Amino acid sequence: MSTELIYSDATKLAELIRTREVSPVEVMKAHLDRIEAVNPNVNAIVTIAKDALEFARKAEAAVQHGEELGPLHGVPFTAKDSIDTAMVPTQRGTPIFKGRTPDKDATSIARLKKAGGILLAKTNLPEFSYGIESDNLLTGRTNNPWNLDLTPGGSSGGESAAIAAGMSPLGLGTDLAISVRGPAAHTGIVSLKATHGRIPMTGIWPREPRRFWHVGPMARSIRDLSLAFSQLAGPDGQDGHSSSAISFDNGIGSSNKSSLRVGWLVEPGFGPVDRETATTVQAAAEALKDFGNTVESVRIPALERDFALDVFSRLHVLEMKPGFVETTAGRSEDEIGDMARLMLSLSDTPAADYIDAAQAAERLKDGYAEYFQKYDVLLTPVLPTPSFKHGQAELLINGQTVNIMGIMSATTPLNVTGLPGVSMRFGTSHDGMPIGVQIVGSWQAESTILHVASLLEQASTVRDLHPNL
C-alpha cells in the first residue's frame, strides 16, 4: 500500500493520473487496501461500490488512449449513505431502508462522476441523518480515527472519518445544522457548507426542512474543496432552492483585494467555548493579520439577541416531523432507533412560537447583512470543544454544564441564514485531538472564504498531520 497515494489529496492524484505517473487502478487498489486494513476499527465505510475497480480500469484506458480527461479523472470519492448512488445501496442509516438501491444518481454524485471521479464507497451516518454522532441500528457506530473511544461527529461522521483515515481523498456529506463542518473539525479535515442552494439537493433524503439542508464537499485540502465546489455548484432544474448561476472563481490562490477585513468572534453569541478552542480561533486571526489583512475582535448583536440554535429548533421540529411519522408508520420496534423515537416524541411548536422563530431568523439574516457591510470574513469556532466520548449527554465547558446539542451553537447560525462556511483544522488539544476554525462569508462569497482558508492552510502547523492507525 502506498502511503503517498492514500494521503495525497484529490488534486494531486488527478495530476499524477493525468501525467501517467500513476494509474487509476493503482490509486483505487491503494484505497481499497486501506479500507481493508483500517475500516474494521473505524467503521466509516458501510458499502464498497462493486464496480469501482472496473471503472478504474476504464479510466486507465482513457488515459492510455489520449482521451479528454475531466479534472477529477480516475480519482476515487466517497459519499454519505443518504445520497443516492445508482446501483449502489443507499440505506440512510436505518433498517427501514435496508438494501434500498437507487437506479439514479443524486445530482451531486452525477456531477463528480462527470468530472471523472469514480465512486469508491458509501459512508456511515446516524439514523435518517439526524444526530451529532454517526451511529445507527443497521451499520453500527463510527469511531474517530484519532482516538477510537471518541466520536467523529455527525451526521457526516463516516465521511469525515474515512477521509481522515486515508480511506478516501474526497467525499460528499450533508449539513442540516452541523453535519459537514462539525465532523470535519472532530477529525481534522476540511469541509465546505456553501450558500444555501448553491449545490442542488436533488436525490438526497430527507429534504425536510428544505430551508436548512445543504450538500457539500469534504476533503484534506482547501484546493480540493475549491475544485469539487466548482464541479458541484449551479442549478439542475429540479431543486427549486438551487437557482443561483453565479460563476465561481476556482483560483483560490488569488484575491481581488490586497487586504481583507476580518472579524473574529468567540463569545458572546455561541454559548461557552473552551479555552483551547478560543485560543485556536485567535491564533488563526493573528495568522491572517500576518498576511496583511485587517483583523479585529468583533461582536454581532443579532447573535446575542436571538440564539440561533433555539431559533433552528423551534422551526425545524414542526417541519421535519411529518416526514418521520410517514417513514416510521407501520414499522416494527426494532427498526426504529433512539433518534427517531426522540424526534417523534417532541411536541409540535405552537404557531405563535413558530412565527416568532421565523421572525428571529430574519433578524439574524439582517444582523449578518449589516456585519458584512463592514467586514469581508468572520472567523469563529466550529465546535465549542474538541471531540468527546461516544454517547456523552453533556459537556463541561469552563465550569459550565452544557447539553450535548450545544455543540451546534456556532454552526447552526449558517443554516438558519444560509451563509457559507469552511471548516478546517488549525490547532491541537492537550490530548492530541484536532481543533477547527470556521471561516464565514457573505452570501455567494465562497471564493472569498476559500481564499482565506488557503491562507490559513499556508500558515498552519497541523495541516499534514494524520492519525496513527
Side-chain angles (χ1 to χ4, degrees):
M1 185 190 309
S2 169
T3 301
E4 180 184 355
L5 289 183
I6 63 170
Y7 280 127
S8 291
D9 68 1
T11 303
K12 179 64 174 179
L13 291 174
E15 178 187 338
L16 292 173
I17 289 169
R18 195 161 44 246
T19 57
R20 305 190 185 191
E21 296 175 63
V22 67
S23 78
V25 173
E26 289 178 86
V27 173
M28 186 63 71
K29 284 183 176 179
H31 285 88
L32 289 170
D33 288 347
R34 181 64 172 175
I35 291 171
E36 184 178 3
V38 304
N39 195 58
N41 288 328
V42 178
N43 193 35
I45 303 294
V46 297
T47 304
I48 293 175
K50 62 181 180 180
D51 295 331
L53 261 179
E54 179 183 341
F55 281 112
R57 293 187 184 100
K58 291 179 180 178
E60 183 173 343
V63 175
Q64 292 172 343
H65 296 153
E67 297 178 16
E68 184 176 349
L69 308 180
L72 287 169
H73 185 84
V75 176
F77 72 93
T78 44
K80 184 179 181 179
D81 205 28
S82 61
I83 304 173
D84 279 357
T85 45
M87 309 312 295
V88 178
T90 302
Q91 302 178 106
R92 301 169 172 173
T94 170
I96 292 172
F97 293 113
K98 183 179 180 179
R100 176 186 174 273
T101 304
D103 57 10
K104 186 178 180 181
D105 285 322
T107 294
S108 51
I109 297 290
R111 288 179 174 177
L112 289 185
K113 286 183 177 180
K114 184 179 179 181
I118 301 172
L119 179 68
L120 165 62
K122 302 301 288 294
T123 54
N124 206 29
L125 70 169
E127 178 187 36
F128 298 172
S129 290
Y130 272 77
I132 56 172
E133 284 217 61
S134 295
D135 189 5
N136 65 72
L137 294 175
L138 180 63
T139 47
R141 186 185 77 189
T142 300
N143 301 315
N144 194 318
W146 291 91
N147 182 334
L148 300 178
D149 292 328
L150 306 185
T151 180
S155 60
S156 305
E159 193 58 51
S160 71
I163 293 170
M167 290 186 273
S168 170
L170 178 69
L172 289 172
T174 63
D175 192 308
L176 174 67
I178 189 175
S179 300
V180 299
R181 291 159 294 151
H186 279 308
T187 59
I189 66 166
V190 299
S191 66
L192 170 67
K193 184 204 83 64
T195 303
H196 186 250
R198 286 301 299 271
I199 305 173
M201 281 287 292
T202 307
I204 301 173
W205 186 92
R207 292 293 300 278
E208 297 82 16
R210 291 185 63 188
R211 71 169 82 194
F212 298 140
W213 274 113
H214 303 68
V215 55
M218 305 175 76
R220 285 192 298 269
S221 71
I222 299 302
R223 66 178 184 174
D224 277 6
L225 291 186
S226 182
L227 175 57
F229 180 62
S230 71
Q231 304 303 304
L232 292 165
D236 67 349
Q238 298 177 74
D239 181 347
H241 280 287
S242 184
S243 58
S244 172
I246 294 174
S247 61
F248 168 66
D249 174 14
N250 196 27
I252 61 171
S254 61
S255 173
N256 292 330
K257 296 183 179 181
S258 57
S259 175
L260 294 170
R261 302 162 298 173
V262 179
W264 65 275
L265 171 64
V266 174
E267 295 183 58
F270 303 131
V273 175
D274 81 4
R275 292 180 180 85
E276 288 184 314
T277 300
T279 299
T280 300
V281 174
Q282 186 170 3
E286 292 299 321
L288 290 177
K289 187 183 296 185
D290 291 342
F291 283 99
N293 299 298
T294 301
V295 179
E296 60 187 43
S297 175
V298 299
R299 292 176 72 161
I300 299 179
L303 288 171
E304 299 174 39
R305 174 178 175 175
D306 295 298
F307 188 49
L309 181 55
D310 172 65
V311 173
F312 168 83
S313 298
R314 287 188 287 153
L315 287 173
H316 106 279
V317 168
L318 194 62
E319 296 179 355
M320 67 81 195
K321 196 171 178 182
F324 271 71
V325 171
E326 179 182 355
T327 303
T328 58
R331 295 292 178 172
S332 62
E333 290 291 311
D334 59 0
E335 291 181 291
I336 304 172
D338 291 341
M339 181 54 69
R341 294 179 198 279
L342 172 62
M343 291 292 181
L344 291 168
S345 72
L346 296 175
S347 300
D348 290 348
T349 305
D353 285 352
Y354 182 89
I355 292 169
D356 179 69
Q359 292 172 341
E362 297 301 320
R363 289 194 295 268
L364 286 166
K365 290 179 184 178
D366 292 345
Y368 276 109
E370 183 178 357
Y371 171 84
F372 284 113
Q373 288 296 305
K374 185 177 180 182
Y375 298 94
D376 300 298
V377 171
L378 175 66
L379 198 63
T380 78
V382 183
L383 307 171
T385 72
S387 186
F388 42 83
K389 290 184 178 180
H390 295 289
Q392 227 171 290
E394 295 178 333
L395 294 172
L396 184 65
I397 305 175
N398 302 338
Q400 183 175 341
T401 300
V402 178
N403 182 281
I404 198 67
M405 302 308 286
I407 69 162
M408 303 190 295
S409 60
T411 54
T412 303
L414 305 196
N415 297 79
V416 171
T417 60
L419 289 165
V422 168
S423 171
M424 65 180 296
R425 183 179 185 177
F426 201 73
T428 302
S429 70
H430 67 280
D431 56 356
M433 297 304 293
I435 299 176
V437 296
Q438 182 173 235
I439 304 145
V440 183
S442 188
W443 297 274
Q444 319 294 343
E446 285 83 4
S447 294
T448 299
I449 59 174
L450 286 165
H451 168 68
V452 169
S454 73
L455 297 180
L456 288 178
E457 190 175 54
Q458 293 174 49
S460 174
T461 60
V462 297
R463 61 176 293 188
D464 296 322
L465 298 179
H466 306 297
N468 184 23
L469 288 169

